């Protein structure tokens, strides 16, 4: 028979698993709700490698939503500010996230029951994953546009971000806080 210590450990493990899976499901629900709102408010874009929507948004949105069939969202502000070559780099970068299934990986990482996730080390590991995903998408995008064009695009997109704001969605996005200078140097 199981003693009280084993029962307590089993209960703690179950709570950890349910909590992490619940957090991942909540984030999926929030993100899909946001995607539906943006799709309803935007207008479709044709000629891209997957379904795309252009929308009015103060943040320079360039993001792929979805786990299986991705949908690209691009802000009007971003489309107006970028040259066709720079916009091609953005689309290539986001297509690379979609091809690498980065959104699925993020959800699985969020759902993973891990006590380390509650510590600073866990947060650093998650940031390292994000940085690696961005670097891989940058590298893959450089097959379509030159590294200098992509670096210029990253800097231009960063300059369009309203001060003190960030996009709060579990999506693959062109710009991630903290890794911009490292990404530009790498390119």
């Amino acid at each position: 028979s199981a003693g009280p210590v084993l029962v307590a450990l089993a209960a703690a493990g179950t709570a950890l698993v349910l909590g992490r899976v619940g957090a991942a499901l909540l984030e999926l629900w929030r993100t899909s709700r946001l995607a539906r709102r943006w799709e309803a408010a935007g207008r479709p874009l044709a000629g891209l490698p997957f379904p795309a929507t252009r929308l009015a948004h103060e943040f320079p949105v360039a993001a792929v939503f979805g786990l299986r069939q991705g949908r690209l969202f691009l802000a009007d502000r971003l489309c107006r500010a970028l040259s066709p070559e720079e916009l091609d780099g953005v689309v290539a970068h986001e297509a690379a996230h979609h091809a690498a299934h980065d959104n699925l990986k993020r959800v699985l990482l969020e759902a993973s029951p891990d006590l380390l996730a509650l510590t600073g080390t866990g947060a650093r590991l998650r940031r390292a994953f994000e940085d690696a995903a961005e670097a891989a998408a940058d590298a893959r995008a450089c097959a379509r546009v030159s590294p200098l064009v992509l670096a210029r695009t990253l800097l231009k997109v960063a300059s369009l971000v309203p001060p003190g704001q960030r996009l709060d969605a579990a999506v693959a996005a062109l710009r991630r806080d903290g890794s911009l200078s490292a990404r530009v140097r790498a390119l």
Side-chain angles (χ1 to χ4, degrees):
S1 70
V5 172
L6 187 57
V7 170
L9 287 173
T14 300
L16 181 62
V17 168
L18 292 177
R20 297 303 299 166
V21 169
L25 290 174
L26 178 63
E27 195 58 41
L28 274 174
W29 176 77
R30 286 180 59 228
T31 303
S32 68
R33 209 170 120 212
L34 179 61
R36 284 192 303 274
R37 264 196 336 259
W38 282 1
E39 191 172 351
R43 56 192 182 281
L45 283 172
L48 296 175
F50 43 88
T53 299
R54 185 171 172 165
L55 69 146
H57 200 286
E58 66 182 34
F59 197 89
V61 175
V64 173
F65 283 48
L67 299 179
R68 283 182 293 131
Q69 182 183 9
R71 173 167 288 281
L72 176 63
F73 290 93
L74 294 171
D76 284 332
R77 180 176 185 200
L78 184 74
C79 293
R80 284 191 307 270
L82 299 180
S83 71
E85 187 179 35
E86 291 167 338
L87 198 52
D88 192 39
V90 169
V91 171
H93 176 92
E94 297 304 326
H97 278 303
H98 179 63
H101 306 287
D102 285 340
N103 287 344
L104 177 61
K105 291 173 188 174
R106 284 181 179 94
V107 169
L108 292 174
L109 188 60
E110 179 75 25
S112 299
D114 181 9
L115 289 175
L116 191 61
L118 305 173
T119 69
T121 301
R124 282 191 300 279
L125 286 171
R126 287 178 192 279
R127 278 193 305 275
F129 165 79
E130 292 291 337
D131 291 346
E134 291 303 320
D138 288 346
R140 193 161 180 182
C142 286
R144 279 186 55 184
V145 298
S146 80
L148 290 176
V149 168
L150 192 56
R152 183 179 68 228
T153 303
L154 288 170
L155 293 172
K156 194 180 276 190
V157 171
S159 74
L160 295 173
V161 175
Q165 290 191 9
R166 59 187 295 253
L167 184 62
D168 185 28
V171 296
L174 181 70
R175 181 185 176 278
R176 295 258 180 236
D177 293 336
S179 66
L180 181 64
S181 62
R183 290 171 63 195
V184 170
R185 277 193 309 273
L187 290 167

